[in-house]
């Protein structure tokens, strides 16, 4: 689905990702976890083509991402960031349908799709006519998810999607997201700094530190058999719920 | 087919037949009166004539005549010889040489009008009679007379210093003072003589005698009408009637009526033409009609320049935001344009665009660029990065991103830039009157010339009101156009 081959990315003198090889498996939820600055967000941005690797290639569904191929690839990806990244000048509904409108999808198809996504993310019907500033934080993230899912993407990229929410809403949404991912069977690549969240949502957890992949496995692998001193410290700093 | 041919022939022929003679005038009262006289005379002889009044200074009128934007304007021999034809060969004080110099430029003169407007020295009529003062030299016999001259005249090498040495007036005592104060001091008897222009309205008002300049210290400034040599001979013949028709006392009287009695120049000109048995129609417009007409002119200047600036500046702002390095040059460039003094810009534009509205619109266009470019750039670069990345990650191509996300988010800033330009434009457009573009600057300029506060307010008040209206209109538009989500 998504593979990284010998990918290296630096910003000036700062190396964000060094020599990374990784395959994100289809229909799995993969969580990228690690301290801030470990390179997990850069990895997600490489996947979305927001930055290009210095060396190596990122391949999406057999196609190497490049300025020529990225736009078509993005139509098959959904992308959600911490604050949702909703456009404040558009209603929730217009945010959701922006790309479909641009691609001139049939009106009836759009209406059906919006309705079924609204059901899926359990957003109240009247919220769609509101502007982002008129929605709660949780509602904004639901709308952002609807926007990301609008064209039924093959890959969902989520950058700290619940990071700005208060703990109660966050826990609710984690449960719902898990159910949504399960029902859609979509490939998900998720960035979080919260091991609990990764444990709840992900089939596979990738622990990163200083631009390097430290451990690759399930939550149980990481909890019970951390490899190396960093992984041990990371796990021991986390209080089991 | 035949119909089309006839129509075409009419189209081609019509403008040539209806082309009016364009009379220009400089921005001082005497020139405006002479322009009215020339235009009135031409109309009375059946020609179409329009008077483009108060177009500017000598250089602007001269260039407009050379380029054919006007056909006639009043000028003075001294200005021709010392300034406009300064680099022409030969002794231009010889009328034949002067005519040849004009002819080589496609111009001609219809002959001297009969008066000259040069530096002169005036004394009170009663004093002049009492001491029998006729020429400047007569002053030498009265060393106790107190003389008061304008500061400029005191200092100019061809002013008092030359007069004093030429006429041997070293014994006389002269003090420098403000020109307007000099007239009052003269009336109050504190000084006996002062410098003036030989056709000043005040000569009649204060009952002064102009002393003869027997030794020709002052350069000759004979008034004449300059015309384009390619004018219809009938027009030249009509204008030739003014040759020698305006003696100095007459011109002083005409200036006094316009300047001191505030009679409109057109009426002054018509009354003068009546003495030549020429009947000129005077169209006197009421204040409301004048304000309406200047408003239309003013709005044209502001709107045309603003729309052109919007069409150019928004794309420039977009380019500047998209390409930061190029953007520095773009922002720097329009910033430099903004620092060009308006008068300098107008003068630079006149050779390219002529006089009237086009150079004024071009100058206003130039000044409108910076606020719009800067605000477009600031609006676009100020959009939070996560929003831009969300739009990119969504897979919107660049043009759709610009149209659907970036420009709407920058719209508030862009509109504020347009508002700034529009309000500044309303004020700056008054300067257009300096080069004959009309608008609210016209009554202001005329009001300053005639020292007529009412006329100044006739331009200044509507200009201020228009600026406020524009500001208000933009604020309403901002409120109406800003989506609820951005308030």
């Amino acid at each position: 689905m998504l593979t990284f081959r010998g990918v290296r990315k630096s910003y000036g003198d700062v190396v964000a990702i060094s020599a990374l090889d990784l395959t994100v498996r289809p229909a799995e939820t993969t969580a990228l976890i690690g301290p801030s600055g470990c390179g997990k967000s850069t990895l997600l941005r490489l996947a979305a083509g927001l930055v290009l690797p210095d060396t190596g290639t990122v391949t999406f569904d057999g196609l190497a991402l490049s300025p020529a191929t990225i736009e078509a690839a993005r139509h098959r990806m959904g992308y959600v960031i911490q604050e949702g990244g909703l456009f404040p000048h558009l209603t929730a509904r217009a945010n959701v349908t922006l790309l479909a409108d641009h691609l001139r999808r049939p009106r009836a198809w759009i209406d059906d799709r919006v309705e079924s996504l609204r059901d899926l993310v359990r957003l109240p019907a009247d919220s769609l006519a509101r502007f982002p500033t008129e929605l709660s934080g949780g509602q904004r993230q639901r709308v952002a998810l609807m926007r990301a899912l609008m064209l039924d993407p093959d890959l969902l990229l989520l950058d700290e999607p619940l990071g700005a929410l208060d703990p109660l809403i966050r826990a609710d949404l984690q449960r719902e997201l898990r159910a949504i991912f399960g029902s859609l069977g979509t490939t998900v690549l998720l960035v979080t700094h919260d091991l609990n969240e990764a444990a709840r949502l992900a089939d596979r957890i990738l622990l990163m530190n200083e631009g390097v992949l430290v451990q690759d496995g399930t939550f149980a692998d990481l909890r019970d058999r951390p490899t190396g001193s960093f992984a041990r410290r990371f796990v021991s700093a986390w209080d089991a719920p | 087919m035949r119909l089309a041919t006839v129509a075409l022939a009419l189209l081609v022929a019509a403008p040539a037949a209806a082309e009016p003679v364009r009379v220009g005038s400089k921005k001082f009262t005497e020139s405006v009166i002479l322009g009215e006289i020339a235009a009135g005379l031409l109309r009375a002889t059946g020609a179409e004539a329009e008077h483009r009044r108060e177009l500017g200074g000598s250089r602007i009128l001269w260039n407009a005549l050379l380029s054919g934007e006007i056909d006639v304007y009043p000028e003075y021999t001294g200005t021709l010889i010392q300034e406009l034809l300064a680099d022409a060969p030969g002794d231009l004080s010889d009328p034949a040489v002067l005519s040849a110099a004009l002819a080589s430029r496609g111009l001609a003169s219809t002959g001297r009008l009969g008066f000259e407007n040069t530096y002169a020295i005036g004394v009170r009529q009663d004093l002049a009679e009492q001491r029998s003062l006729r020429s400047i030299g007569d002053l030498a016999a009265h060393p106790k007379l107190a003389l008061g001259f304008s500061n400029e005249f005191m200092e100019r090498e061809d002013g008092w210093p030359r007069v004093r040495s030429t006429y041997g007036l070293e014994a006389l005592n002269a003090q420098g003072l403000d020109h307007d104060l000099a007239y009052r001091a003269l009336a109050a008897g504190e000084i006996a003589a002062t410098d003036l222009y030989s056709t000043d309205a005040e000569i009649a008002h204060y009952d002064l005698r102009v002393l003869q300049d027997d030794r020709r210290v002052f350069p000759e400034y004979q008034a004449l009408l300059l015309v384009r040599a390619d004018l219809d001979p009938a027009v030249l013949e009509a204008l030739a009637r003014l040759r020698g028709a305006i003696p100095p006392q007459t011109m002083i009287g005409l200036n006094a009526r316009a300047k001191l009695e505030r009679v409109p120049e057109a009426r002054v000109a018509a009354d003068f033409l009546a003495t030549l048995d020429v009947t000129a129609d005077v169209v006197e417009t009421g204040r409301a009609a004048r304000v309406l007409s200047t408003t239309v002119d003013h709005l044209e200047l502001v709107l045309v320049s603003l729309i052109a600036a919007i069409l150019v500046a928004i794309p420039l702002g977009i380019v500047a935001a998209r390409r930061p390095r190029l953007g520095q040059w773009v922002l720097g460039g329009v910033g430099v344009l903004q620092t060009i003094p308006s008068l300098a810009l107008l003068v630079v534009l006149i050779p390219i665009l002529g006089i009237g509205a086009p150079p004024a619109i071009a100058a206003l266009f130039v000044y409108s660029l910076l606020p719009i470019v800067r605000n477009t750039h600031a609006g676009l670069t100020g959009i939070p990065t996560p929003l831009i990345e969300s739009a990119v990650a969504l897979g919107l191509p660049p043009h759709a991103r610009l149209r659907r996300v970036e420009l709407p988010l920058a719209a508030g800033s862009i509109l504020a830039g347009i508002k700034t330009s529009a309000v500044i434009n309303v004020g700056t457009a008054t300067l257009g009157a300096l080069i004959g573009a009309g608008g609210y600057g016209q009554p202001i300029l005329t009001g300053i010339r005639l020292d007529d506060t009412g006329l100044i307010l006739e331009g200044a008040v509507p200009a201020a009101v228009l600026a406020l209206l524009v500001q208000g209109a933009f604020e309403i538009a901002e409120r109406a156009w800003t989506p609820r989500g951005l308030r």
Side-chain angles (χ1 to χ4, degrees):
Chain A
M1 172 54 55
L2 183 71
T3 56
F4 295 78
R5 286 280 165 271
V7 169
R8 191 192 135 88
K9 177 70 194 174
S10 53
Y11 299 104
D13 292 338
V14 182
V15 178
I17 303 277
S18 52
L20 181 98
D21 288 291
L22 171 69
T23 298
V24 176
R25 293 188 288 268
E28 248 184 25
T29 297
T30 305
L32 288 163
I33 193 163
S36 42
C38 71
K40 57 187 193 296
S41 282
T42 299
L43 196 72
L44 201 75
R45 292 158 61 78
L46 283 163
L50 292 173
V51 293
L52 291 173
D54 300 338
T55 58
T57 50
V58 182
T59 310
F60 173 69
D61 202 17
L63 206 62
L65 294 186
S66 72
T69 59
I70 188 64
E71 206 169 278
R74 281 175 185 145
H75 294 170
R76 298 173 52 206
M77 299 177 185
Y79 183 76
V80 178
I81 58 172
Q82 181 163 334
E83 304 273 4
L86 295 181
F87 305 124
H89 64 294
L90 298 176
T91 61
R93 189 192 160 83
N95 264 283
V96 172
T97 63
L98 181 60
L99 183 61
D101 286 338
H102 175 71
L103 297 175
R104 301 189 186 283
R105 293 292 166 92
R107 174 96 343 239
W109 180 88
I110 291 178
D111 290 346
D112 282 354
R113 182 79 188 143
V114 169
E115 210 40 45
S116 62
L117 285 174
R118 194 180 61 73
D119 270 350
L120 183 72
V121 305
R122 307 207 307 188
L123 187 76
D126 62 343
S127 307
L128 283 176
R130 300 215 177 122
F131 285 90
T133 47
E134 299 163 340
L135 298 171
S136 72
Q139 286 172 333
R140 278 203 285 274
Q141 292 311 86
R142 289 172 202 268
V143 173
L145 192 62
M146 283 176 72
R147 184 172 73 180
L149 292 172
M150 184 67 193
L151 294 188
D152 195 14
D154 299 316
L155 174 65
L156 201 51
L157 302 169
L158 309 174
D159 192 353
E160 301 269 10
L162 309 179
L165 303 178
D166 64 63
L168 277 178
I169 294 171
R170 192 171 172 150
D172 282 350
L173 264 173
Q174 281 168 356
R175 262 191 300 280
E176 285 180 37
L177 278 179
R178 175 84 218 181
I180 291 169
F181 297 162
S183 71
L184 293 177
T186 310
T187 311
V188 180
L189 185 59
L190 163 87
V191 165
T192 178
H193 62 271
D194 176 0
L195 193 53
N196 283 328
E197 189 162 291
R200 286 201 184 111
L201 291 174
D203 305 306
R204 178 187 182 195
I205 293 177
L206 305 173
L207 178 63
M208 291 186 71
N209 186 38
E210 293 178 346
V212 178
L213 205 51
V214 173
Q215 186 161 3
D216 174 359
T218 62
F219 172 66
D221 291 338
L222 185 61
R223 181 189 55 199
D224 303 336
R225 291 175 293 281
T227 51
S229 64
F230 174 77
R232 274 194 294 279
R233 275 196 291 130
F234 188 83
V235 172
S236 65
W238 161 73
D239 293 320
Chain B
M1 184 61 215
R2 198 202 247 155
L3 205 65
T5 315
V6 171
L8 193 70
L10 279 175
L11 273 176
V12 172
E19 192 75 39
V21 179
R22 292 149 305 168
V23 180
S25 61
K26 300 190 203 178
K27 52 181 185 186
F28 57 89
T29 304
E30 183 169 292
S31 193
V32 176
I33 294 171
L34 292 175
E36 284 292 337
I37 289 174
L41 178 63
L42 290 175
R43 275 187 220 116
T45 58
E48 285 277 325
E50 60 168 319
H51 181 201
R52 302 182 67 179
R53 44 194 285 158
E54 297 172 85
L55 289 179
S58 303
R59 189 56 70 174
I60 286 176
L61 272 292
W62 173 253
N63 287 332
L65 188 69
L66 285 176
S67 67
E69 281 182 275
I70 56 173
D71 303 306
V72 185
Y73 85 93
E75 191 48 280
Y76 301 90
T77 52
T79 312
L80 279 172
I81 293 166
Q82 310 212 336
E83 198 180 322
L84 302 174
L85 291 171
D87 51 0
D91 178 13
L92 291 169
S93 59
D94 177 347
V97 176
L98 184 60
S99 291
L102 288 173
S104 73
R105 287 163 176 76
L107 308 179
S109 156
T110 60
R112 300 177 174 196
L113 300 177
F115 70 92
E116 69 169 320
N117 184 356
T118 184
Y119 270 128
I121 290 177
V123 293
R124 286 205 322 273
Q125 193 72 39
D126 57 338
L127 201 69
E129 266 164 33
Q130 189 189 328
R131 312 270 173 105
S132 52
L133 300 173
R134 280 216 160 60
S135 80
I136 298 174
D138 294 341
L139 288 171
H142 306 278
K144 290 206 177 138
L145 287 179
L147 308 180
F149 297 126
S150 65
N151 293 313
E152 192 197 342
F153 186 78
M154 287 290 285
E155 276 155 34
R156 279 177 70 126
E157 189 270 327
D158 60 352
W160 175 241
R162 184 179 294 174
V163 172
R164 191 174 50 191
S165 60
T166 306
Y167 287 100
L169 303 179
E170 286 83 358
L172 274 81
N173 192 16
Q175 58 179 351
L177 44 94
D178 179 81
H179 199 69
D180 287 327
L181 287 180
Y183 281 119
R184 287 186 207 153
L186 206 57
E190 287 167 34
I191 57 172
T194 190
D195 63 300
L196 35 76
Y197 293 110
S198 53
T199 53
D200 275 357
E202 286 81 357
I203 294 173
H205 183 70
Y206 291 101
D207 195 17
L208 306 180
R209 176 181 292 180
V210 175
L211 298 179
Q212 304 246 313
D213 179 18
D214 303 331
R215 301 195 187 170
R216 292 256 44 132
V217 171
F218 301 123
E220 199 177 27
Y221 278 80
Q222 289 286 346
L224 42 77
L225 289 178
L226 283 185
V227 294
R228 289 186 59 79
D230 56 8
L231 270 186
D232 183 349
V235 169
L236 296 178
E237 198 181 315
L239 291 174
R241 283 194 63 182
L242 293 174
R243 192 179 299 157
I246 313 177
Q249 281 310 318
T250 304
M251 193 66 238
I252 292 168
L254 299 179
N255 281 337
R257 277 195 76 200
K259 212 166 169 182
L260 302 177
E261 296 169 33
R262 304 248 167 105
V263 178
E265 291 94 349
R267 163 61 49 203
V268 173
D271 291 348
F272 166 75
L273 286 171
T275 67
L276 300 183
D277 289 327
V278 173
T279 311
D281 293 328
V282 181
V283 184
E284 295 196 27
T285 45
R287 176 162 296 203
R290 281 203 309 269
V291 170
L292 183 70
S293 139
T294 50
T295 302
V296 169
D297 288 350
H298 205 85
L299 282 176
E300 185 198 329
L301 296 178
V302 171
L303 287 179
V304 175
S305 60
L306 188 67
I307 289 168
I310 291 170
L311 293 179
V312 172
I314 292 181
L316 275 180
I318 293 170
V319 168
R322 282 276 155 99
R323 301 184 186 278
R325 203 167 296 170
L326 184 63
Q328 288 309 310
W329 286 99
V330 170
L331 289 174
V334 292
V336 166
L337 287 180
Q338 196 79 9
T339 65
I340 304 174
S342 46
L343 278 178
L345 186 58
L346 290 174
V347 169
V348 170
L349 288 171
I350 286 169
I352 307 164
L353 296 172
I355 48 173
I361 288 171
L364 292 173
F365 162 79
V366 166
Y367 291 131
S368 302
L369 290 177
L370 181 66
I372 305 176
V373 171
R374 192 169 281 280
N375 276 37
T376 304
H377 175 263
L380 289 174
T381 52
I383 299 172
T385 314
L387 290 183
I388 299 287
E389 291 200 338
S390 291
V392 173
L394 204 54
L396 280 178
H399 61 92
R401 214 156 69 221
L402 187 67
R403 190 163 56 85
R404 289 175 179 267
V405 177
E406 296 176 36
L407 285 179
L409 287 175
S413 173
I414 296 173
L415 204 58
I418 295 173
K419 174 171 74 175
T420 305
S421 283
V423 172
I424 291 176
N425 250 359
V426 169
T428 312
T430 54
L431 292 176
L434 293 174
I435 52 166
Y440 292 139
Q442 192 64 65
I444 295 177
L445 213 61
T446 309
I448 291 170
R449 174 167 64 75
L450 296 174
D451 193 17
D452 182 339
T453 310
L455 210 48
I456 293 174
L457 292 179
E458 195 178 302
V461 171
V465 170
L466 185 62
L468 289 175
L469 283 178
V470 167
Q471 170 110 8
F474 269 96
E475 266 154 35
I476 289 169
E478 275 168 8
R479 232 164 283 161
W481 289 344
T482 308
R484 209 161 78 228
L486 289 178
R487 274 175 224 161

